[in-house]
Amino acid sequence: LEVIEDLVAWQQPNIIPIWHFFSGGTWEDGRLVTPEERGVRHNYLALLASDRSVQVREALLHMLVDWLTKLTDRWDHEARLLPYLLNGLTDEIPHLREVAWEAMERLGATHEEERENNDRDKQELRDFREYGHKAPAELNASERWETLGHEPPFTRRPRLGARMVVRNNFRRLIPTLVREMNEWQENTRTRAAQLVYYLTLYCEHWCTAEVVSMVQAFIKCATRCLEDIAAGDPAARTLLSQVLRC
């Protein structure tokens, strides 16, 4: 558990290390440790996810799906590891987007199998299969996938388990993404808008709980794109089309 927390530089949001309050340092293990002696924590998974080497990024995706499907305590790590797997869907290399898609399908299959082995979760999955597909919203989603074409790798509807995994983590992911849609870096805004679009494809009608914050971010981002287009920025057109697609 601690190894993965170190890899993503995670710390509890409501806890501040005591050494932050003492500029002169604190006593640890019988000696004075100053702030200058403490190493900077790095998010190693983020560094690997943005590595220039295609082979490194592909190996990271394979490693993440192995951890999310094989680790004994994988459910404790899902919220920390899933964002890096989903990030692969926005990779500039089409092959890596396909790898990320297949990894999500594999994770979804594991999710379905494990929920079927759990008495409490088995009922939720059974009800969704037996009654969810007959609901108007579910029928509408199925018809959209049959009639509307989406860009690769979303050439077919994600399996049920993959949609449930994203749905369960959507509330944790969307606040950061909509904030990054209005960052100053162009690449960050574009990839955030693209990932929001992909997450809505996974969540379908389940994303309505967060629609207010999403629409506010879309309006702000679209307004900024129109100003950039008027100023002659060609990249703003691509970002605007991505936002409107959401």
Side-chain angles (χ1 to χ4, degrees):
L1 177 61
E2 293 182 358
V3 172
I4 293 180
E5 290 179 355
D6 290 340
L7 285 175
V8 299
W10 182 86
Q11 68 178 26
Q12 295 187 17
N14 59 338
I15 293 181
I16 301 176
I18 192 170
W19 64 268
H20 280 271
F21 297 95
F22 301 94
S23 59
T26 56
W27 285 93
E28 297 180 12
D29 298 327
R31 74 182 189 91
L32 180 65
V33 180
T34 62
E36 292 76 15
E37 295 181 71
R38 300 182 183 276
V40 178
R41 300 188 69 184
H42 296 284
N43 188 332
Y44 293 102
L45 291 188
L47 294 174
L48 292 173
S50 59
D51 194 275
R52 294 183 178 181
S53 172
V54 176
Q55 290 78 10
V56 169
R57 299 201 303 273
E58 182 174 359
L60 175 64
L61 294 174
H62 290 303
M63 180 191 72
L64 289 172
V65 72
D66 282 342
W67 284 358
L68 287 168
T69 56
K70 295 181 179 179
L71 286 179
T72 304
D73 54 349
R74 53 187 168 273
W75 296 114
D76 296 331
H77 306 306
E78 184 178 88
R80 302 186 185 106
L81 298 178
L82 185 63
Y84 302 99
L85 184 58
L86 291 170
N87 181 69
L89 296 170
T90 66
D91 199 282
E92 59 184 9
I93 305 299
H95 169 66
L96 293 189
R97 292 200 292 268
E98 292 290 344
V99 171
W101 164 272
E102 293 300 335
M104 285 300 301
E105 293 293 281
R106 177 180 163 190
L107 177 58
T110 302
H111 188 80
E112 294 173 14
E113 293 171 2
E114 294 200 350
R115 283 186 173 275
E116 289 181 348
N117 293 328
N118 182 296
D119 291 336
R120 183 186 62 184
D121 295 337
K122 180 172 61 177
Q123 185 64 43
E124 178 187 351
L125 188 59
R126 182 190 300 123
D127 290 345
F128 191 83
R129 282 175 170 170
E130 294 182 359
Y131 307 111
H133 291 288
K134 299 177 183 179
E138 180 66 19
L139 291 173
N140 185 37
S142 300
E143 292 176 359
R144 285 202 309 272
W145 277 96
E146 294 176 359
T147 57
L148 298 179
H150 299 286
E151 61 185 30
F154 289 86
T155 55
R156 65 184 187 277
R157 192 183 188 194
R159 66 181 302 148
L160 175 62
R163 302 201 308 270
M164 294 180 73
V165 169
V166 176
R167 182 195 75 185
N168 294 339
N169 290 275
F170 187 74
R171 180 169 292 183
R172 298 188 186 98
L173 298 172
I174 201 63
T176 301
L177 288 173
V178 297
R179 184 171 62 250
E180 290 185 345
M181 286 177 61
N182 291 286
E183 288 288 334
W184 64 274
Q185 293 179 316
E186 179 182 315
N187 183 58
T188 300
R189 298 201 306 269
T190 302
R191 296 192 68 169
Q194 190 176 20
L195 190 52
V196 169
Y197 169 58
Y198 290 158
L199 293 186
T200 56
L201 293 182
Y202 275 107
C203 288
E204 299 174 345
H205 58 278
W206 294 100
C207 68
T208 53
E210 306 297 326
V211 73
V212 173
S213 61
M214 291 170 62
V215 170
Q216 290 174 345
F218 294 161
I219 294 174
K220 185 177 180 180
C221 187
T223 302
R224 182 174 179 178
C225 288
L226 292 174
E227 294 174 353
D228 292 342
I229 292 173
D233 184 1
R237 295 183 181 274
T238 303
L239 178 57
L240 179 60
S241 64
Q242 192 69 59
V243 172
L244 296 177
R245 191 179 301 175
C246 295

